Amino acid sequence: MCMEPIEVFKALSNESRLQILNWLKDPENHFTPHEGTDMRKIGVCVGQITNALKMTQSTTSQYLSILQRAGLITAERIGKYTYFKRNEEAIRGMGAFFSNEI
């Protein structure tokens, strides 16, 4: 995956989106597993993120979409639920971008 740095910077320019990434970094400390899922492997259900943000589901979905388009998170649909987790490879890639380019 080729990430566009400007899209990553835009995605990170919002406190709530940064908070989502922080929560997903260590999901066990911020969420309860949804229906017994392995949050490290599968991710965190969008409803749980919505509740943690104390925002509407449409706003949360918009934030998650921005993070996903930037390549910072991935989504997996299981049944009627969508789960999100961090894209650690992409995040490490951005660290390398800072080291090498900026």
Side-chain angles (χ1 to χ4, degrees):
M1 170 193 305
C2 181
M3 292 176 43
E4 293 294 328
I6 195 71
E7 293 304 317
V8 173
F9 297 145
K10 287 179 189 177
L12 298 176
S13 69
N14 175 282
E15 188 174 345
S16 294
R17 292 191 294 263
L18 284 171
Q19 184 65 63
I20 292 168
L21 284 175
N22 184 44
W23 288 335
L24 294 178
K25 182 176 184 177
D26 195 12
E28 296 87 355
N29 285 334
H30 304 284
F31 303 100
T32 302
H34 181 256
E35 297 189 350
T37 58
D38 179 344
M39 292 185 291
R40 292 272 175 189
K41 183 177 180 187
I42 303 297
V44 176
C45 180
V46 66
Q48 293 175 285
I49 298 169
T50 299
N51 290 340
L53 284 174
K54 296 177 177 57
M55 294 184 177
T56 64
Q57 184 158 349
S58 63
T59 300
T60 302
S61 293
Q62 182 181 21
Y63 286 170
L64 292 167
S65 178
I66 291 167
L67 290 167
Q68 190 175 11
R69 277 195 311 270
L72 297 170
I73 62 172
T74 61
E76 182 174 354
R77 181 113 175 134
I78 300 175
K80 62 182 181 176
Y81 299 104
T82 303
Y83 297 87
F84 292 88
K85 65 181 179 179
R86 285 167 44 120
N87 181 345
E88 296 297 340
E89 183 179 337
I91 291 169
R92 282 190 301 276
M94 280 309 298
F97 173 82
F98 277 103
S99 293
N100 298 326
E101 303 294 328
I102 296 180

